[in-house]
Amino acid sequence: MSVQQLTISKFGGTSVADYEAMLRCANIIKSDPANRLAIVSASSGVTNHLVRLSQANVSTDEQNDILQKIKNIQLNITQHLENEDELNAQVEILLTQLAGHAQEQSLNHSLRVADTILSYGEQFSSRIFADVLCSIGVEAKHFDVRQVMKTNSLFGKAVVDIDLLKEKATEILKPALNETVIVSQGFIGQNEAGQTTTLGRGGSDYSAALLAEALDATDLSIWTDVVGIFTTDPRITDQARAIKEISFGEAAEMATFGAKILHPATLIPAMRKDIPVFVGSSKAPEQGGTRIQKEVDSNPTYRSIALRREQTLVTVKSPEMLHASGFLAKVFAVLAKHELSVDLITTSEISVALTFDNPQGSTQAVITQAVVEELEQLCEVKVEHGLSLVAVIGNNIHTTSGIGTNIFDTVEGVNIRMICQGASSHNLCFLVPENDANKVVEKLHNSLFPMQ
Ligand code: ASP
Ligand code: MG
């Protein structure tokens, strides 16, 4: 059979959390013959356990305790399958390897071994999910994505070699897709030396998008635990509602500015190849979801409000900047050297304010002492925490009059720390104190998205 329509389906941690969840995903795959490649995250909770296991100074007792918890999650799934014994034997092999890496890590901690440890969650879930598919009559095979997902050696946030991925995927994965459904891992890759790498927390979405690009897929489906992308976080206001259709540009801003629903880089490969992305809930596939694509029917001024907590604001100040050139280049050189990515930036005559995200569950502080010290060679440095970034996302924000008034009148009385507008047609964002963030989003949502 030749692959005409090819949908890459990515199932997140909650979608493969237990047997019932995996079964629902298996039925989603079965429901459409275009679903040939499933990319899975680790079962919910497993990567967090592995993060702990990958840290320095974990006692042998704690190691054993974590390994047991991880094992229980797997065995709770495999007990429902006919080939339980065979699968459990594979689980045991992986657990023994994992225990060895954990021991190695506790003796001599390295980022390289940390990535190897983190990769096991996806290794378990992908093997088991392939068998869940087989159990409902879908011929499926497990495939080690490291054969194709070639990266550099930046452990913890490895960069994928897109050309090599395309070459390998065409050579190895494409023919395999003609034989059976393939189940593979998100999040993990491999460097030139054959060592395991990871693409960063939440990276499975991005893996799936890269594979969709490499394989010229017709669609990418991201299956999660919510029925699509919402006008804002429904935990903040019950007025939030699912968005049926959104353009790539708007969705990319949303992913970047807080809506944790997609890994921020996910849409880049999809946009490069113009592959429509669907986001839906594996718990309720019949409820539909959000379709993200190049052209959409309507382009409203206000589409959504995103909130990102735990932002770090760094203000650098130097009298040298007055009428001088090259200061910013030096500041950015330090940031680049430490692989730090700046989100927002505002400048005045002698100072520059920059914001940085604090990725949730990340094991590394964003602005380390080393960064501060290097910046202090150039200027005064002030680091502030406890701020949230609110982004109002929509269309033609930079050319529509009255937007600023609409927004800032609504949040009157709140101390707005920084405002960025104008660089993008799709957003206006600002920082507010963490404690005011929910109230600000709720008020804005009531005002910009009134119930019809
Ligand atoms: N399992 C990884 C994590 O929890 C990757 C992912 O789920 O996207 O971050
Ligand atoms: Mg995710």
Side-chain angles (χ1 to χ4, degrees), residues 19 22-23 25-33 35-36 80-83 128-141 179-183:
Y19 173 70
M22 281 202 183
L23 196 58
C25 298
N27 279 305
I28 290 174
I29 292 290
K30 195 178 182 177
S31 69
D32 182 351
N35 294 329
R36 307 286 300 166
H80 297 276
L81 294 164
E82 235 173 65
N83 64 339
I128 297 174
F129 186 57
D131 283 7
V132 173
L133 278 165
C134 294
S135 77
I136 62 160
V138 177
E139 226 191 303
K141 279 197 182 131
E179 305 295 321
T180 64
V181 166
I182 296 289
V183 180

Side-chain angles (χ1 to χ4, degrees), residues 48-325:
N48 287 346
H49 286 313
L50 293 168
V51 166
R52 178 65 193 129
L53 204 57
S54 74
Q55 287 166 349
N57 308 320
V58 184
S59 69
T60 311
D61 276 355
E62 196 186 345
Q63 278 177 28
N64 290 336
D65 181 48
I66 297 171
L67 289 165
Q68 188 60 47
K69 284 185 175 134
I70 294 173
K71 180 173 173 173
N72 291 346
I73 295 175
Q74 316 311 322
L75 299 196
N76 272 335
I77 310 177
T78 58
Q79 63 171 330
H80 297 276
L81 294 164
E82 235 173 65
N83 64 339
E84 177 188 359
D85 293 344
E86 194 191 313
L87 252 181
N88 285 354
Q90 286 185 44
V91 168
E92 280 302 339
I93 292 172
L94 291 173
L95 279 168
T96 307
Q97 293 169 4
L98 181 56
H101 296 305
Q103 223 164 27
E104 183 186 351
Q105 187 73 326
S106 67
L107 295 174
N108 186 11
H109 182 271
S110 76
L111 290 175
R112 176 181 64 76
V113 176
D115 267 10
T116 300
I117 291 176
L118 292 185
S119 72
Y120 277 83
E122 274 71 10
Q123 296 192 56
F124 288 119
S125 59
S126 55
R127 278 177 174 77
I128 297 174
F129 186 57
D131 283 7
V132 173
L133 278 165
C134 294
S135 77
I136 62 160
V138 177
E139 226 191 303
K141 279 197 182 131
H142 160 268
F143 177 89
D144 192 328
V145 88
R146 291 172 291 190
Q147 294 179 69
V148 299
M149 196 63 77
K150 301 297 178 186
T151 73
N152 68 6
S153 298
L154 209 56
F155 296 106
K157 45 181 174 180
V159 179
V160 175
D161 182 332
I162 292 165
D163 294 332
L164 199 51
L165 166 62
K166 175 147 186 104
E167 190 186 310
K168 298 270 179 200
T170 311
E171 183 194 332
I172 315 171
L173 192 49
K174 216 163 202 164
L177 291 173
N178 287 335
E179 305 295 321
T180 64
V181 166
I182 296 289
V183 180
S184 199
Q185 310 80 30
F187 180 53
I188 72 176
Q190 188 179 64
N191 70 6
E192 227 178 354
Q195 295 158 334
T196 298
T197 55
T198 66
L199 312 188
R201 291 302 307 266
S204 294
D205 298 338
Y206 183 48
S207 302
L210 286 171
L211 286 160
E213 179 185 33
L215 292 163
D216 283 319
T218 36
D219 288 277
L220 168 64
S221 295
I222 307 277
W223 293 99
T224 170
D225 54 0
V226 284
V227 291
I229 299 178
F230 276 63
T231 48
T232 199
D233 184 343
R235 283 166 304 188
I236 299 180
T237 165
D238 57 10
Q239 308 280 298
R241 39 204 186 262
I243 300 168
K244 283 287 151 222
E245 234 195 8
I246 181 169
S247 68
F248 277 133
E250 292 168 279
E253 299 278 354
M254 279 185 80
T256 312
F257 288 111
K260 289 276 181 217
I261 200 168
L262 284 182
H263 182 279
T266 310
L267 294 173
I268 301 168
M271 285 162 92
R272 276 197 296 254
K273 277 280 178 74
D274 199 3
I275 302 169
V277 180
F278 169 84
V279 180
S281 165
S282 62
K283 282 200 185 109
E286 72 290 347
Q287 284 189 33
T290 304
R291 206 168 161 77
I292 311 168
Q293 54 196 6
K294 196 166 160 190
E295 304 287 347
V296 290
D297 287 342
S298 81
N299 294 293
T301 308
Y302 303 116
R303 179 78 81 182
S304 67
I305 303 168
L307 175 65
R308 199 157 69 178
R309 300 177 203 274
E310 289 179 52
Q311 302 303 287
T312 303
L313 176 64
V314 177
T315 312
V316 295
K317 188 170 166 191
S318 165
E320 241 184 67
M321 206 172 137
L322 197 64
H323 307 304
S325 60

